[in-house]
Amino acid sequence: MSIVHAHGQHDSRADLATAAQARLIGAGEQWTPLRATVFGALAGFDRPVSAYDVTDAVSATTGRRVAANSVYRILDLFVANNVASRVESANAFIANVHPDCPHDCIFLVCDRCGRATHIDDDRITGEVRAAATAAGFRPVRPVIEVRGLCADCS
């Protein structure tokens, strides 16, 4: 069965934060004030951003300098729990608008504006996993990113 769809944003950042909080707590993690602030900063961007961009936004929000390594650890926790995704080709992070989505992500990354559209296509990612398995490789997480121009920029 193939599921193909593009994900849009939640109605509000509060809805997105609530979904992220529920996901982390459900995984046995804590939703600390710093984690909430980091998530809020990440969700405030409309494109994938670096950990340093998130660090700067958190520092501006809190009025004190936050260590980049603390933000990196939190972002890694978010990725491990599907609360955020890492756009590998951009070395950047983006809030996952569907943290309970069980699909492997495919990102369409615009080279002009930097936005990334997340789509799911179980047929494509299943074939990538099957090809890896056939080659004697045990796939953990396929990374599929397509670079190009989004509809607004093309």
Side-chain angles (χ1 to χ4, degrees), residues 61-114:
T61 299
T62 62
R64 62 179 179 84
R65 190 73 192 150
V66 176
N69 61 352
S70 296
V71 172
Y72 264 112
R73 281 194 300 274
I74 292 169
L75 290 171
D76 286 343
L77 175 73
F78 288 171
V79 170
N81 286 283
N82 206 36
V83 169
S85 297
R86 182 178 168 95
V87 179
E88 302 289 341
S89 64
N91 192 23
F93 299 87
I94 190 167
N96 186 348
V97 297
H98 295 283
D100 291 320
C101 177
H103 307 286
D104 294 318
C105 294
I106 300 171
F107 283 108
L108 310 177
V109 183
C110 182
D111 287 328
R112 186 168 294 151
C113 70

Side-chain angles (χ1 to χ4, degrees), residues 19-153:
Q21 179 180 7
R23 176 70 179 189
L24 271 189
I25 290 171
E29 298 289 346
Q30 294 180 355
W31 187 254
T32 65
L34 182 57
R35 289 177 182 175
T37 303
V38 168
F39 188 82
L42 181 63
F45 290 97
D46 65 351
R47 60 180 171 73
V49 293
S50 73
Y52 291 103
D53 292 331
V54 175
T55 299
D56 290 344
V58 169
S59 295
T61 299
T62 62
R64 62 179 179 84
R65 190 73 192 150
V66 176
N69 61 352
S70 296
V71 172
Y72 264 112
R73 281 194 300 274
I74 292 169
L75 290 171
D76 286 343
L77 175 73
F78 288 171
V79 170
N81 286 283
N82 206 36
V83 169
S85 297
R86 182 178 168 95
V87 179
E88 302 289 341
S89 64
N91 192 23
F93 299 87
I94 190 167
N96 186 348
V97 297
H98 295 283
D100 291 320
C101 177
H103 307 286
D104 294 318
C105 294
I106 300 171
F107 283 108
L108 310 177
V109 183
C110 182
D111 287 328
R112 186 168 294 151
C113 70
R115 287 199 171 104
T117 301
H118 165 208
I119 61 172
D120 295 328
D121 188 327
D122 291 337
R123 181 187 48 81
I124 292 171
T125 57
E127 288 178 13
V128 169
R129 284 177 175 276
T133 300
F137 189 80
R138 187 173 56 99
V140 174
R141 182 182 59 91
V143 175
I144 303 173
E145 298 176 5
V146 179
R147 303 291 304 217
L149 296 177
C150 70
D152 292 339
C153 292

